[in-house]
Amino acid sequence: MVVYKFGGAAVGSPERIRNTVKIISGYKGKLVVVVSAMAKTTDALEELNLAYAERNIDEALNILSCIRDFHCETADKLGLSASIFDDMFQNTVSFIKENKIRDFDCCYGQIVSLGELLASLLLNECLNSCGTLSRLVDARKLVMTDSSFREAKIYFDQTEKNIRDAFSFSDVSCYVTQGFIGSNSDGATTVLGREGSDYSAAIIASAMSSENLTIWKDVPGVLSADPKLFSDAELLPELSYKDAAELSYYGAQVIHPKTVKPLVAKNIPLFVKSFLDTSLEGTKISANSKIRQNTPVIASKKNQILISILPKDFSFVLDDAIMQTISILHSFNVKIHIIQSSPLCISLCADDGRNTRLAVDELKINGIVLYNNNLELITIRNYTEKLIEKYSENKERLIMQRDRSTVRMLLK
Ligand code: ASP
Ligand code: MG
């Protein structure tokens, strides 16, 4: 059996959904399809959750009704009845009006997961109406997690067993399920972090000892840079697991950084292919593949914040002050991308956002905290001096770290 993962762009319009159905129907073996929310839906649901958290109920319901219109119109254009979504929208409306839980992260899980539920239902209905028999499986019954609602940790033993039981292929050869979502021991919905559907697909592929996993994207494969940002992007036909993991961590828009790990142990190849032109080879990520020597690879992370902490009492001379700083950031789920320390100052670069700002407030208890936001972190693999100049031209380099193969620059 194999696993296919389709992201938001692959199910973003009626035409795209038809195309996805064609790709799925074209595969004649046993298949598990993992799908994420339709394009932009997760962003809209995040806004909805924010409005809800601020008790702006009218605004929350307005956003929900836009999401509803978009999905119903899509269903309609695909010749399906828009009423398929009635229960899901009714549940969300009831949640918005009646829920008593105030925990932001918990509500996030309940609300933001709607995108995947809608898209998977739509794709499954569409497959069946086009003559490809498939069964919809609720990923919340499979993926068991802890209660870190927005970036849940998976309980692997139980999850893998659930996956193997659910995908028995006893009477269908195609299943559709959601990426990104799971549930905790109370049955409340949790999510695996933004763009986490790739990770879901990898967990399923690993549990099933799948022959391979294909992630279908709107680009020809893994590119050496984001073509929207850098004109010299080229296709990387092969990558090792290690390179893929590193590049995704650095911010290459390839796959979710956690995707590789579940595949490595079972040596499951990962293909990244274009759903726009299925004849292209794409990129193969596996144990033996190698990045072509010397091809520079550029990754960019926008919206970075540089936090500098100057302790009031010179305590950074002691390592435990550094440990404490990192553990505060960790407790807010903030991922640190760069650390630089000197005897009297520690500087960290991380994604900016709500949690980071909360962590900054907490850090202020220990010292003076300065920050600089709206920064870009550029990583160049196989760099040259010329490339460093080119990508930091007219910008201030706030931090620059380099080793033999990789340079990382925090730019303002
Ligand atoms: N729909 C979720 C997101 O946009 C998960 C995913 O796309 O993988 O973050
Ligand atoms: Mg996505």
Side-chain angles (χ1 to χ4, degrees):
M1 60 82 60
V2 302
V3 179
Y4 280 1
K5 184 258 166 171
F6 293 94
V11 290
S13 67
E15 299 69 39
R16 290 280 175 91
I17 294 176
R18 270 194 212 101
N19 182 57
T20 293
V21 164
K22 204 169 129 207
I23 294 173
I24 295 170
S25 317
Y27 185 77
K28 298 299 173 211
K30 294 173 180 167
L31 176 64
V32 175
V33 175
V34 177
V35 68
S36 58
M38 289 179 77
K40 306 268 186 291
T41 302
T42 307
D43 291 340
L45 287 164
E46 280 194 339
E47 268 177 52
L48 193 167
N49 185 53
L50 213 58
Y52 173 72
E54 287 162 359
R55 311 306 306 148
N56 201 341
I57 302 301
D58 288 344
E59 168 77 359
L61 290 171
N62 262 338
I63 299 174
L64 187 66
S65 115
C66 291
I67 296 172
R68 182 176 196 147
D69 289 349
F70 176 54
H71 283 79
C72 290
E73 253 167 52
T74 310
D76 191 50
K77 286 188 185 140
L78 289 165
L80 301 168
S81 161
S83 66
I84 56 172
F85 301 125
D86 283 354
D87 287 350
M88 287 178 186
F89 282 107
Q90 194 44 53
N91 288 342
T92 308
V93 170
S94 310
F95 182 87
I96 292 171
K97 289 186 174 161
E98 290 155 24
N99 162 59
K100 298 274 181 298
I101 302 166
R102 285 290 167 266
D103 181 73
F104 183 88
D105 288 0
C106 176
C107 295
Y108 182 100
Q110 314 322 301
I111 287 174
V112 174
S113 53
L114 177 65
E116 269 64 19
L117 297 175
L118 295 167
S120 56
L121 176 65
L122 185 58
L123 180 62
N124 189 62
E125 291 286 327
C126 198
L127 277 164
N128 284 297
S129 78
C130 296
T132 296
L133 193 62
S134 68
R135 172 154 330 122
L136 184 60
V137 173
D138 189 332
R140 294 171 297 181
K141 302 243 155 60
L142 312 180
V143 181
M144 298 295 123
T145 74
D146 69 2
S147 297
S148 0
F149 286 94
R150 295 174 63 179
E151 183 117 20
K153 313 260 169 337
I154 291 171
Y155 297 135
F156 279 98
D157 290 347
Q158 189 57 48
T159 297
E160 291 188 346
K161 182 179 179 305
N162 293 345
I163 288 170
R164 282 191 291 266
D165 290 348
F167 302 130
S168 62
F169 294 104
S170 53
D171 53 352
V172 284
S173 58
C174 179
Y175 294 96
V176 175
T177 191
Q178 307 84 19
F180 184 54
I181 69 174
S183 67
N184 70 3
S185 55
D186 300 331
T189 305
T190 58
V191 303
L192 308 181
R194 286 303 306 263
E195 303 304 329
S197 305
D198 294 350
Y199 183 38
S200 305
I203 291 161
I204 292 171
S206 168
M208 297 296 293
S209 298
S210 177
E211 280 160 54
N212 57 57
L213 161 63
T214 305
I215 295 182
W216 295 91
K217 302 200 66 136
D218 57 359
V219 287
V222 178
L223 303 174
S224 64
D226 181 346
K228 287 177 210 122
L229 303 175
F230 306 109
S231 57
D232 33 15
E234 48 176 299
L235 179 76
L236 303 169
E238 287 199 4
L239 277 173
S240 66
Y241 287 132
K242 181 172 169 287
D243 282 329
E246 272 184 20
L247 292 176
S248 56
Y249 174 84
Y250 286 149
Q253 297 294 316
V254 199
I255 46 170
H256 187 275
K258 289 183 183 163
T259 311
V260 172
K261 193 170 176 232
L263 305 175
V264 174
K266 295 209 173 152
N267 223 337
I268 299 169
L270 166 61
F271 296 98
V272 179
K273 283 177 67 99
S274 166
F275 60 72
L276 297 171
D277 185 351
T278 56
S279 69
L280 300 176
E281 289 285 326
T283 299
K284 180 181 182 185
I285 299 167
S286 64
N288 307 322
S289 348
K290 266 207 164 137
I291 197 166
R292 266 174 309 159
Q293 279 297 318
N294 300 328
T295 305
V297 181
I298 302 149
S300 149
K301 275 188 197 282
K302 294 249 164 75
N303 195 26
Q304 299 296 294
I305 183 167
L306 175 64
I307 310 165
S308 295
I309 305 122
L310 309 141
K312 295 172 187 135
D313 55 0
F314 285 48
S315 62
F316 272 146
V317 186
L318 305 168
D319 290 343
D320 50 349
I322 295 181
M323 289 291 291
Q324 206 183 21
T325 303
I326 292 174
S327 94
I328 289 173
L329 288 162
H330 183 74
S331 70
F332 283 93
N333 245 322
V334 176
K335 288 192 198 74
I336 301 164
H337 300 135
I338 284 194
I339 299 183
Q340 187 154 288
S341 70
S342 68
L344 296 180
C345 175
I346 176 166
S347 297
L348 303 131
C349 160
D351 290 331
D352 201 359
R354 185 176 179 272
N355 279 20
T356 311
R357 295 304 174 107
L358 292 173
V360 165
D361 288 341
E362 180 101 5
L363 288 167
K364 283 182 182 155
I365 299 167
N366 293 340
I368 302 158
V369 181
L370 308 169
Y371 64 86
N372 219 316
N373 60 342
N374 242 323
L375 308 176
E376 180 178 16
L377 176 61
I378 291 209
T379 303
I380 311 177
R381 211 32 191 290
N382 301 324
Y383 64 88
T384 59
E385 294 308 319
K386 246 196 171 145
L387 286 170
I388 291 178
E389 286 306 322
K390 177 171 171 190
Y391 288 111
S392 59
E393 203 182 324
N394 298 328
K395 289 187 183 143
E396 191 184 343
R397 293 179 206 151
L398 298 184
I399 290 187
M400 175 147 137
Q401 290 183 348
R402 62 164 113 186
D403 60 23
R404 264 175 295 174
S405 63
T406 306
V407 62
R408 313 191 73 198
M409 303 184 284
L410 188 61
L411 303 175
K412 188 184 170 144

